[in-house]
Amino acid sequence: MRPYIVAGNWKMHMDSESGTALARSIHEGLAADPPSDGVSVVLCPPFPVLSSVQAAIAGSGIGLGAQNMHNEDHGAFTGEVAPGMLRAVGCTFVILGHSERRQHFHEDDAFINRKLRAALTHGLTPIVCVGETLEQREAGITEEVVGGQVRGVLAGITAQEMKGVVLAYEPIWAIGTGRTATPEQAQEVHADIRGVLASLFDRGLADRIVIQYGGSVKADNAAELFACPDVDGGLIGGASLKAQDFLAIIRAASTLAG
Ligand code: 13P
């Protein structure tokens, strides 16, 4: 049985005060109504808020993640953050290759692959994002595009390393648009991704890898998405900024995990 991982990607929202309050509310909500064993919860605030969120979730079992990092350990990379720096503030997860990073900051699969290797070297669990644009979906090339991204970001990764990787399928047209993929659309791509993993590694390993769905996941559609056989939780943007909404999404995973 694969676990569900429900991660909140706060993007460029929240300051120390509001982020701490949000993390505290989530901590309290989970303490009052603990999720099933098969559900992991992760919060990914902006860099300057990592330490205060870490303090607010200490002892809760909630994981801390960053939204990006550089692959180098140190050096003249103005504005960048190294994997070791994330570990030092308590991160155990890092989102890599989010479509907003690909789109606005020109990250490509090769760069994301270097970051992925660095994350694994430093003991961080990478949540690696893939997903097609609306244009690509309408052109009927979703499988090709997403499959190409999966192969690109995982180039040279061994089966042993792969066990520590989480993937997130985030169709770009569903991010922040309120237009979520239908469960059928999500399931189809997740199954395709698992097929690519089976061809790169083997079916047994492919069946162990957590593949999250992201893109307008809300309290009222989480259950139907998470019920899909190949959807193992979610990477949540907007709805992770409200404790009650995020807690309801975690409950949806928890109910399914039993
Ligand atoms: P929304 O949930 O706001 O659509 O964002 C999804 C996302 O990009 C998570 O990484």
Side-chain angles (χ1 to χ4, degrees):
M1 250 310 255
R2 289 184 297 271
Y4 283 101
I5 301 181
V6 179
N9 174 8
W10 293 5
K11 306 195 179 183
M12 203 167 69
H13 299 289
M14 298 287 154
D15 56 24
S16 239
E17 200 176 324
S18 56
T20 304
L22 175 58
R24 257 198 217 121
S25 301
I26 293 165
H27 185 167
E28 285 163 12
L30 294 182
D33 181 14
S36 312
D37 284 346
V39 179
S40 296
V41 178
V42 183
L43 301 183
C44 304
F47 294 130
V49 188
L50 282 168
S51 290
S52 20
V53 167
Q54 171 64 357
I57 60 176
S60 67
I62 301 172
L64 185 71
Q67 300 172 18
N68 179 37
M69 62 169 214
H70 199 274
N71 59 290
E72 296 290 342
D73 286 350
H74 45 74
F77 299 103
T78 302
E80 290 293 328
V81 172
M85 298 173 181
L86 299 182
R87 283 306 304 258
V89 292
C91 288
T92 50
F93 287 83
V94 60
I95 299 171
L96 297 178
H98 191 281
S99 61
E100 287 150 16
R101 300 240 27 114
R102 292 174 185 261
Q103 192 183 342
H104 303 304
F105 303 99
H106 311 293
E107 294 194 7
D108 61 12
D109 290 336
F111 189 26
I112 297 160
N113 176 258
R114 290 198 295 279
K115 295 181 185 216
L116 169 58
R117 290 159 185 273
L120 293 169
T121 302
H122 286 270
L124 290 158
T125 300
I127 298 177
V128 190
C129 305
V130 295
E132 81 288 2
T133 63
L134 184 58
E135 233 176 15
Q136 291 165 332
R137 172 159 286 266
E138 287 174 345
I141 56 170
T142 298
E143 187 177 350
E144 187 183 326
V145 168
V146 173
Q149 290 172 338
V150 171
R151 289 174 192 279
V153 296
L154 296 180
I157 297 298
T158 66
Q160 188 56 33
E161 288 169 332
M162 190 62 212
K163 291 178 187 161
V165 177
V166 171
L167 297 176
Y169 168 57
E170 297 208 311
I172 294 168
W173 48 271
I175 296 177
T177 58
R179 181 181 166 188
T180 187
T182 64
E184 295 71 25
Q185 287 172 322
Q187 170 56 29
E188 186 181 14
V189 180
H190 281 236
D192 286 345
I193 293 173
R194 220 175 282 289
V196 173
L197 295 177
S199 71
L200 288 173
F201 304 99
D202 60 55
R203 178 48 67 178
L205 179 54
D207 285 341
R208 286 178 53 166
I209 304 303
V210 170
I211 308 176
Q212 300 175 304
Y213 168 80
S216 297
V217 178
K218 308 285 176 210
D220 62 4
N221 61 20
E224 59 178 16
L225 287 160
F226 297 171
C228 296
D230 286 295
V231 176
D232 311 314
L235 187 52
I236 322 296
S240 74
L241 300 174
K242 290 196 183 123
Q244 290 317 315
D245 290 358
F246 191 57
L247 288 166
I249 293 169
I250 296 166
R251 264 197 304 279
S254 216
T255 303
L256 289 159

